[in-house]
């Protein structure tokens, strides 16, 4: 059965800390991996990763994919209280299966 | 529209009643998805529409759940004879095309079954 596992499930840090969120997957016919940030209701898109070893960056956030070891990490440097959210990892399979398979998320709390 | 729009944002109903949840996708997006997010759980896939193709209903948890997409745009998710375990946030997403395209989510409908 296809699955996506995120760790840790929750994390509390202080402003200025750097955090690394993990996502591992076991999926047949892997196509791409996506990261979303969910603050209240609507998950908002962060990154899409398709190729191994190519880092995607957006400000203080970055992410990379390892298709050999079947995992991805999301890094956040110099964390701010506004980074507090649930970070979701999801995998897209190829073929006609269009839906995302989600992990349970990592709840990040950044304290002032 | 500018984003995926869902209504209502909150719905409280009594056990045994039917409910309808609405999703208006981003204009021009051919693919539409419904997911369910229960407390402490990840997003669970329910159903997927792509263009005029037959929908992928493989994620629907029971025959009390059904969905339609009229005219390739607006979709309605219907839950008949609601049960307390149906309480969750129902999220809709749309994408430009199938498969690997980025899915953009609406704010969801929080359903509470009393």
């Amino acid at each position: 059965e296809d699955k996506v596992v995120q760790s840790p499930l929750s994390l509390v840090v202080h402003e200025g800390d750097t955090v690394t969120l993990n996502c591992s997957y076991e999926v047949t016919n892997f196509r791409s991996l996506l990261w979303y940030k969910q603050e209240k209701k609507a998950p908002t898109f962060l990154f899409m990763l398709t190729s191994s070893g190519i880092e995607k960056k957006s400000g203080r956030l970055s992410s990379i994919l390892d298709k050999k070891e079947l995992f991805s990490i999301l890094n956040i440097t110099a964390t701010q209280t506004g980074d507090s959210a649930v970070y979701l990892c999801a995998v897209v399979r190829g073929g006609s299966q269009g839906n995302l398979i989600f992990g349970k998320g990592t709840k990040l709390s950044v304290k002032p | 529209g500018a984003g995926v729009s869902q209504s209502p944002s909150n719905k409280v109903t009594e056990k045994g009643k039917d409910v309808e949840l609405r999703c208006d996708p981003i204009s021009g997006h051919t693919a539409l998805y419904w997911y369910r997010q229960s407390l402490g759980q990840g997003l669970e896939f329910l159903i997927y529409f792509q263009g005029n193709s037959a929908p992928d209903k493989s994620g629907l948890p029971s025959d009390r759940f059904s969905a339609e997409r009229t005219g390739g745009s607006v979709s309605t998710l219907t839950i008949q004879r609601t049960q307390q375990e149906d309480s969750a946030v129902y999220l809709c997403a749309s994408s430009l095309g199938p498969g690997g395209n980025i899915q953009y989510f609406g704010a969801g409908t929080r359903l509470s079954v009393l």
Side-chain angles (χ1 to χ4, degrees), chain B:
Chain B
V4 178
S5 177
Q6 291 189 245
S7 61
S9 55
N10 287 284
K11 176 72 177 178
V12 180
T13 191
E14 293 179 350
K15 178 181 171 181
K17 301 279 189 183
D18 298 351
V19 295
E20 285 189 351
L21 313 179
R22 177 188 167 102
C23 172
D24 197 347
I26 293 171
S27 178
H29 280 195
T30 61
L32 185 148
Y33 315 78
W34 283 98
Y35 296 87
R36 177 170 71 174
Q37 188 173 34
S38 303
L39 193 62
Q41 300 296 315
L43 276 74
E44 172 192 6
F45 165 69
L46 297 177
I47 188 168
Y48 158 49
F49 296 89
Q50 169 52 42
N52 295 320
S53 302
D56 176 358
K57 303 179 182 180
S58 60
L60 294 178
S62 78
D63 59 8
R64 296 186 297 104
F65 288 72
S66 62
E68 290 185 338
R69 188 179 186 192
T70 53
S73 181
V74 172
S75 176
T76 302
L77 177 68
T78 301
I79 309 173
Q80 296 178 308
R81 305 180 303 281
T82 51
Q83 303 294 313
Q84 288 184 331
E85 61 263 29
D86 299 334
S87 297
V89 176
Y90 290 81
L91 289 160
C92 175
S94 70
S95 66
L96 266 175
N101 287 279
I102 298 166
Q103 296 183 21
Y104 295 92
F105 284 82
T109 294
R110 181 176 295 278
L111 175 66
S112 300
V113 182
L114 304 179

Side-chain angles (χ1 to χ4, degrees), chain A:
Chain A
E1 181 182 347
D2 294 341
K3 63 180 179 180
V4 176
V5 178
Q6 292 186 246
S7 65
L9 291 181
S10 66
L11 187 58
V12 180
V13 300
H14 288 93
E15 274 191 315
D17 288 350
T18 293
V19 298
T20 298
L21 309 183
N22 303 291
C23 175
S24 64
Y25 61 91
E26 292 178 25
V27 173
T28 55
N29 198 12
F30 172 90
R31 182 165 179 173
S32 57
L33 184 145
L34 289 84
W35 285 95
Y36 287 86
K37 178 182 182 182
Q38 186 175 28
E39 291 179 83
K40 290 184 178 177
K41 283 187 178 178
T44 54
F45 170 76
L46 295 174
F47 298 111
M48 174 185 272
L49 302 156
T50 307
S51 302
S52 276
I54 299 173
E55 185 182 49
K56 295 281 185 85
K57 282 183 70 75
S58 177
R60 295 177 294 102
L61 278 66
S62 64
S63 184
I64 198 161
L65 174 68
D66 186 329
K67 291 170 71 173
K68 181 180 178 184
E69 300 298 329
L70 308 183
F71 77 93
S72 173
I73 59 172
L74 175 68
N75 280 318
I76 309 175
T77 59
T79 52
Q80 302 171 358
T81 55
D83 296 327
S84 296
V86 175
Y87 290 84
L88 298 168
C89 173
V91 169
V92 183
R93 295 168 294 182
S96 61
Q97 298 162 307
N99 61 287
L100 295 170
I101 303 172
F102 281 88
K104 292 189 177 181
T106 294
K107 183 176 181 180
L108 175 65
S109 299
V110 182
K111 304 296 186 187

